[in-house]
Amino acid sequence: MEDRQAQTTPGTPRNGGSQHRSGALAGAMAIRTPIRRDSFDRPNGFPSLDSTPRRFSTGANAIPMPAPQVFAAQVAAEVELDEKRARMPNAKDPQHLEAALNKFKFCSDTPSIARLAALTSPCYLHKRFGDAVDIDKVLEEMKGDDQLSHSRLMQTAASVREVSRQLQRRPLKRAVRNVMVVTKARDNTLVSLTRQLAEWLLATPRYGKDVGVNVWVDSKLRKSKRFGVESLVELDARYKDMLRFWTPALCLEQPELFDLVITLGGDGTVLFTSWLFQRIVPPVLAFSLGSLGFLTNFDFEQYKHQLNRIMGDTGMRINMRMRFTCTVYRSAASTAYSGASSASLSTTPSLNSPTSASADTQSNKIEGETHEVLNELVIDRGPSSYISSLDLYANDSLLTRISADGIILSTPTGSTAYSLSAGGSLVHPDIPAILLTPICPHTLSFRPMLLNDDMALKVSIPSTGRGGAFVSFDGKGRVELGRGDEVVVRASQYPFPTVMGQPLEWFDSISRTLRWNTRAAEQKDWAGGAAGHGEGDGAELVEGEERRKVEEPEFDIDFAEEEVGGGSRDSGYGGTESDAGGVEREEKGRVWQ
């Protein structure tokens, strides 16, 4: 027994072991009590209460002791823990007390899921979240972490969702010094309102100055007599430097110049704003001056109150609406390719024929135009009389071949547009998804569906198809697609931020524009008895905590024959003269005697 214990019990390191261990580690191993062999030894009938690790098993004597490497790793972990405890600040340190109070405040004010994720989970975003998150660095560290457990992954995912929710709820408080106004330059009414808004923005004192902010208007209004640049500058000579003009090229090259974009018009004006900013988009405040108004939730009559609140201490709440990045790839043999000088050659795999040889799966594709889409991408058959034949891929995997007049790939924002007319569903703009809606499909089983936003969808024109197709981006930039051409659609990294007026404004917009779940005439309340009292008896109704008796209503019509005879011939329901026979005539005679 002693020999076996001497062989299996870890003792002092062998020769040469001290060269690979630090002094603290060797000292800890030298003074450590060996792990007990029998964990059920109870002197005096009581268990031994010490800090020695125990091996709770009925066959403890038969189980071999751990290897020296395991014991060394355990000691090294304990030494590292002791060093961390030694580096901890004193509890009486004011900074430590402040950190403890902040932690207690976080535990009291934060929801339970976020509290659990932030306090118990080594979430990357909670450690590195500041003004901006270096997502590439975060993903690289997560990819290199081989010890990512399921619980850690779950808690990190919950933390990411909580960060996203908090960003949506948190108002954006920043100095708005450059305001861009987008409107229809050909609408005289809107031009007059633009002049009114620009004059108020220039004259209202902001941020400790006796003047307002810089105002950017469309360059087409520079010589407009209705807008009146000269008369506006005559009011104050400083307005000459504060009134500026934007162009589409300026919006594309320097979008960071603008702190806020104000649109005067309808949904088309908002879509035009998205078309102007193909990369970073400033916050967009849309005033409703159009016909529908799914995206315009602010009333222009209250523009002073709304802008004072947003540009003041209240700030603005932003809704990050999803956009698509759509890229057209031309086939070298495509007849629709116009040979534009801006196109560039790129080698992408051709997946039109999954069963073809590997040598044929690579073909030269010419990268064409790229657009940022807020509403939808539409691929249709155009003027051709043939039905469109399209191949749909998801992450380079063939999903199906579509036979239809076309398809619509819509964002949640665009779910109230063309997709809704084609039978698609209403989707809340906060849901990150891709809505696939066919246009008059050949098979009735091809129904609209929601796809995950991390999919890279590709729509290809088969080389064996009867004809080509046409693609449009938010109703603009309609181009022709030939055989072999492709359109790749991904979730954009440049969302479209819109200023929110109220938390449930999307439901208000669909109720106001679509009359969602609203009847033209509400059903009248029942004026007779309650359910189960078909003969006009009174019913007891509860209002608040009191109960009252409803009197029997008085009718000024004569329905005695219907009640006695069970109905008449002219009523269309109930009994008739032929149904009741002589019994009905007998009952009538008895009543009228």
Side-chain angles (χ1 to χ4, degrees), residues 555-563 592:
F555 298 97
D556 57 352
I557 60 175
D558 187 6
F559 52 90
E561 294 185 2
E562 295 181 3
E563 287 188 348
W592 293 108

Side-chain angles (χ1 to χ4, degrees), residues 247-530:
T247 60
L250 181 65
C251 298
L252 181 63
E253 296 172 359
Q254 298 179 338
E256 64 278 357
L257 288 178
F258 313 106
D259 299 322
L260 179 66
V261 177
I262 298 177
T263 64
L264 303 181
D267 293 341
T269 308
V270 179
L271 292 177
F272 177 69
T273 304
S274 174
W275 189 262
L276 289 174
F277 295 94
Q278 289 292 304
R279 295 191 296 115
I280 301 174
V281 187
V284 178
L285 176 63
F287 285 103
S288 179
L289 292 170
S291 56
L292 281 180
F294 289 101
L295 301 176
T296 54
N297 297 307
F298 290 88
D299 188 6
F300 185 77
E301 296 180 356
Q302 301 179 358
Y303 75 92
K304 295 182 180 180
H305 170 71
Q306 298 290 351
L307 290 177
N308 286 331
R309 180 178 60 85
I310 291 174
M311 301 172 68
D313 297 335
T314 304
M316 64 184 88
R317 291 184 58 188
I318 303 299
N319 182 19
M320 307 299 290
R321 293 179 178 266
M322 177 183 176
R323 293 202 297 179
F324 288 159
T325 299
C326 308
T327 306
V328 178
Y329 291 92
R330 300 289 187 178
S331 174
S334 174
T335 57
Y337 172 56
S338 59
S341 59
S342 60
S344 59
L345 276 174
S346 64
T347 303
T348 57
S350 177
L351 302 177
N352 293 336
S353 178
T355 60
S356 61
S358 59
D360 296 333
T361 58
Q362 296 291 333
S363 63
N364 290 330
K365 294 292 182 181
I366 303 171
E367 182 176 354
E369 54 269 24
T370 299
H371 301 286
E372 298 291 323
V373 172
L374 177 61
N375 257 8
E376 73 274 317
L377 173 138
V378 179
I379 301 178
D380 58 80
R381 61 189 177 98
S384 176
S385 59
Y386 296 107
I387 193 171
S388 295
S389 182
L390 308 172
D391 289 340
L392 179 62
Y393 297 84
N395 299 333
D396 292 336
S397 298
L398 179 64
L399 292 183
T400 184
R401 170 161 290 187
I402 301 173
S403 295
D405 285 349
I407 61 170
I408 304 171
L409 296 177
S410 171
T411 64
T413 300
S415 64
T416 56
Y418 192 3
S419 174
L420 182 63
S421 300
S425 176
L426 292 173
V427 183
H428 195 276
D430 289 345
I431 299 176
I434 302 175
L435 180 57
L436 171 62
T437 306
I439 304 175
C440 299
H442 185 265
T443 58
L444 296 180
S445 60
F446 188 19
R447 309 308 302 164
M449 62 179 63
L450 285 174
L451 303 177
N452 198 351
D453 66 329
D454 63 353
M455 287 185 176
L457 299 181
K458 182 176 68 175
V459 182
S460 173
I461 309 299
S463 58
T464 59
R466 292 185 177 182
F470 285 81
V471 58
S472 61
F473 312 91
D474 278 345
K476 299 179 179 292
R478 183 177 175 88
V479 296
E480 184 180 359
L481 299 176
R483 295 183 180 93
D485 292 348
E486 302 170 353
V487 180
V488 179
V489 180
R490 297 182 178 88
S492 175
Q493 60 178 335
Y494 304 111
F496 189 80
T498 57
V499 180
M500 298 179 59
Q502 53 185 352
L504 300 178
E505 65 181 9
W506 184 75
F507 295 96
D508 177 70
S509 66
I510 62 176
S511 299
R512 172 171 38 86
T513 56
L514 297 178
R515 307 287 294 176
W516 175 67
N517 198 26
T518 302
R519 298 181 56 173
E522 294 293 337
Q523 187 178 6
K524 297 180 179 179
D525 296 335
W526 170 242

Side-chain angles (χ1 to χ4, degrees), residues 526 529-530 532-538 552 559 563:
W526 170 242
H533 299 273
E535 299 180 359
D537 296 339
E552 180 182 358
F559 52 90
E563 287 188 348

Side-chain angles (χ1 to χ4, degrees), residues 558-580 584 588:
D558 187 6
F559 52 90
E561 294 185 2
E562 295 181 3
E563 287 188 348
V564 176
S568 64
R569 275 184 305 196
D570 298 333
S571 63
Y573 60 90
T576 62
E577 186 176 356
S578 59
D579 294 334
E584 180 181 2
K588 285 186 178 180

Side-chain angles (χ1 to χ4, degrees), residues 95-171:
Q95 296 181 356
H96 181 70
L97 293 177
E98 183 179 0
L101 291 176
N102 292 335
K103 183 177 180 181
F104 175 77
K105 183 178 179 181
F106 178 81
C107 294
S108 303
D109 300 339
T110 311
S112 58
I113 296 179
R115 189 189 316 155
L116 174 65
L119 299 180
T120 65
S121 168
C123 175
Y124 296 101
L125 293 181
H126 276 89
K127 294 180 179 179
R128 297 168 176 82
F129 185 79
D131 294 337
V133 178
D134 189 356
I135 191 63
D136 295 332
K137 183 178 180 181
V138 171
L139 294 177
E140 182 180 357
E141 292 183 0
M142 292 181 63
K143 190 178 297 183
D145 188 2
D146 298 333
Q147 305 296 327
L148 188 62
S149 62
H150 177 268
S151 60
R152 184 178 182 183
L153 179 63
M154 177 192 66
Q155 294 169 358
T156 302
S159 301
V160 172
R161 289 195 298 269
E162 183 63 28
V163 168
S164 178
R165 284 192 292 265
Q166 293 297 332
L167 288 177
Q168 293 280 350
R169 299 169 184 169
R170 180 181 179 183

